[in-house]
């Protein structure tokens, strides 16, 4: 590539090498029927899931539909506040605007007991090197007087000391495991 | 069925991007910081302003940056009566395509006049620089009419 030719008047000036291009969009978010039901119960420390009318899969958080089949989900069930780590990521790079996250932190797809899909959240009270697929965890909630209709109710998940579930039954790997169990039955 | 008031909450999506500029846009922004306007010359000698790294018709790389005039002509414009919250301009103003002298393309920027009646297609304007500049397009506060220039 040839050199860019710059007029003499700018020679020797400190060149600009970066430019700020922030993007900001302000929305008013109105949750749909399923998300409204979820948030109202979440504000009472209850975790609701949808039940797929096709195969009974438990979907959390509930979105009001089973996206695999394009069908409405109108049935809700309540899930326990414990589960296991289906997969996880250890982050060592800060996110702008999230000064509340101390590095390194662990984000994980938590599979609540009974759920067929993961619930994205933080894992804490666990050194990153000890985090593993299949590790049993429980929710750590905000103090009761700070609970509201917000995803921030659960501060993070921590190991609950129960024995791990086997790797091939953890997270979405459990789908194949359960399918083979069902076909055996 | 139990009835509830509809839930609603503000949601802000924000990315604090910083981009690296490359040599052409970098030189353009360095020029802005120094209150100098740089365009870039095409093979046929015409000048693109603002400068691009490639010729938009032939896709050839472009290399030769040249200083262009700080006065120009309004080619077309629209009136912004109530700027939105995130606009760089708080007052009513025109947004115009301005062709600067010694260039062959136009720049989208504000023409800072108090009243839409002061806007005329073909009017002559000049660059109004900010006192404090950092190498950003907003180093140009806007363009103001050249008094008595007529059309």
């Amino acid at each position: 590539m040839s050199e860019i030719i710059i007029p003499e008047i700018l020679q020797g000036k400190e060149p600009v090498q970066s430019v700020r291009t922030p993007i900001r969009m302000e929305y008013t978010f109105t949750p749909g029927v399923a998300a409204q039901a979820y948030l109202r119960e979440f504000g009472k420390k209850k975790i609701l899931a949808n039940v797929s009318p096709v195969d009974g899969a438990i979907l959390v958080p509930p979105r009001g539909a089973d996206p695999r089949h394009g069908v409405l989900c109108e049935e809700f069930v309540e899930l326990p506040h414990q589960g296991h780590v289906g997969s996880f990521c250890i982050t060592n790079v800060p996110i702008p605007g999230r000064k509340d996250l101390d590095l390194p932190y662990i984000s994980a797809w938590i599979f609540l007991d009974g759920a067929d899909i993961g619930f994205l959240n933080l894992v804490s009270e666990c050194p990153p090197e000890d985090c593993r697929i299949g590790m049993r965890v429980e929710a750590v909630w905000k103090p009761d007087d700070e609970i509201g209709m917000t995803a921030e109710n659960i501060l993070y998940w921590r190991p609950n000391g129960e024995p791990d579930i086997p790797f091939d039954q953890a997270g979405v790997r459990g789908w194949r495991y359960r399918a083979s169990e069902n076909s055996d039955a | 069925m139990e009835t509830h008031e509809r839930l609603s909450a503000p949601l802000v999506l924000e990315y604090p991007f910083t981009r690296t500029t490359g040599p052409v846009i970098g030189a353009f922004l360095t020029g802005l910081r120094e209150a100098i306007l740089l365009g870039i010359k095409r093979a046929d000698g015409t000048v693109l302003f603002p400068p691009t790294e490639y010729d938009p018709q032939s896709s050839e790389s472009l290399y030769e940056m040249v200083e262009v005039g700080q006065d120009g002509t309004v080619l077309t414009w629209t009136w912004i009566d109530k700027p939105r919250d995130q606009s760089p301009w708080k007052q009513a103003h025109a947004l115009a395509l301005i062709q600067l002298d010694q260039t062959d393309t136009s720049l989208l920027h504000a023409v800072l006049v108090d009243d839409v009646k002061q806007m005329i297609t073909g009017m002559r304007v000049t660059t109004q620089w900010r006192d404090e500049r950092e190498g950003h397009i907003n180093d140009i506060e806007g363009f103001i009419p050249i008094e008595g220039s007529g059309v």
Side-chain angles (χ1 to χ4, degrees):
Chain A
M1 192 182 114
S2 306
E3 279 292 301
I4 302 297
I5 301 164
I6 293 169
E8 198 149 340
I9 194 164
L10 279 188
Q11 306 280 344
K13 302 282 186 193
E14 169 83 23
V16 173
Q17 294 182 323
S18 69
V19 62
R20 294 173 297 107
T21 55
I23 291 176
R24 182 183 165 93
M25 287 176 281
E26 295 178 16
Y27 295 92
T28 300
F29 174 65
T30 302
V33 173
Q36 297 231 6
Y38 172 77
L39 283 170
R40 287 182 208 287
E41 295 306 309
F42 202 49
K44 301 174 199 158
K45 290 176 76 168
K46 291 181 178 176
I47 304 174
L48 287 193
N50 265 146
V51 183
S52 169
V54 177
D55 57 5
I58 304 295
L59 309 172
V60 62
R63 303 291 186 202
D66 181 338
R68 299 168 304 163
H69 303 285
V71 294
L72 280 179
C73 292
E74 292 177 305
E75 184 184 351
F76 289 94
V77 287
E78 191 186 339
L79 293 183
H81 301 176
Q82 59 193 29
H84 69 269
V85 171
S87 57
F88 66 96
C89 174
I90 296 167
T91 302
N92 291 286
V93 181
I95 303 178
R98 287 300 302 267
K99 292 186 175 66
D100 54 318
L101 293 175
D102 291 329
L103 296 175
Y105 62 87
I106 308 168
S107 43
W109 287 105
I110 309 291
F111 281 67
L112 302 182
D113 289 349
D116 289 286
I117 58 171
F119 187 88
L120 185 60
N121 238 293
L122 294 169
V123 173
S124 201
E125 295 188 38
C126 171
E129 59 272 22
D130 289 351
C131 190
R132 59 203 178 270
I133 289 171
M135 183 171 81
R136 297 279 298 157
V137 290
E138 64 187 7
V140 176
W141 295 76
K142 273 187 174 174
D144 283 354
D145 57 354
E146 293 175 29
I147 296 283
M149 285 184 273
T150 159
E152 292 163 8
N153 283 345
I154 294 179
L155 295 169
Y156 56 86
W157 298 69
R158 68 178 170 208
N160 69 358
E162 293 174 11
D164 286 12
I165 73 159
F167 181 87
D168 63 354
Q169 297 172 32
V172 294
R173 299 162 200 82
W175 294 355
R176 193 172 295 165
Y177 178 81
R178 284 191 295 277
S180 67
E181 260 195 337
N182 291 341
S183 62
D184 292 346
Chain B
M1 190 179 148
E2 206 179 344
T3 57
H4 293 284
E5 202 158 307
R6 188 183 66 172
L7 296 179
S8 178
L11 176 69
V12 177
L13 189 60
E14 191 171 30
Y15 299 102
F17 289 129
T18 300
R19 292 167 188 270
T20 50
T21 54
V24 172
I25 304 303
F28 170 66
L29 295 175
T30 306
L32 293 179
R33 193 190 63 211
E34 305 297 327
I36 292 164
L37 297 174
L38 293 187
I40 201 159
K41 215 177 241 186
R42 301 169 69 197
D44 65 1
T46 56
V47 174
L48 302 176
F49 184 89
T52 58
E53 290 159 331
Y54 297 94
D55 186 307
Q57 284 178 329
S58 68
S59 304
E60 280 178 81
S61 293
L62 299 176
Y63 306 105
E64 189 184 350
M65 301 197 71
V66 290
E67 188 177 354
V68 303
Q70 305 213 348
D71 299 347
T73 303
V74 170
L75 300 186
T76 183
W77 55 276
T78 188
W79 187 250
I80 309 295
D81 207 32
K82 294 192 178 83
R84 293 194 174 199
D85 291 346
Q86 292 171 58
S87 168
W89 300 283
K90 302 302 166 211
Q91 310 292 330
H93 60 274
L95 271 184
L97 285 175
I98 300 157
Q99 183 174 357
L100 295 175
D101 297 345
Q102 293 109 52
T103 73
D104 297 278
T105 58
S106 55
L107 164 78
L108 181 67
H109 218 294
V111 176
L112 306 174
V113 292
D114 299 327
D115 196 304
V116 64
K117 293 194 180 82
Q118 295 167 265
M119 289 302 300
I120 308 163
T121 301
M123 70 195 283
R124 296 279 296 161
V125 291
T126 191
T127 311
Q128 170 102 335
W129 295 100
R130 281 185 206 282
D131 293 335
E132 297 199 353
R133 296 183 298 273
E134 54 169 318
H136 193 280
I137 191 64
N138 290 344
D139 289 351
I140 300 174
E141 199 170 350
F143 289 79
I144 52 172
I146 298 174
E147 293 301 330
S149 67
V151 177

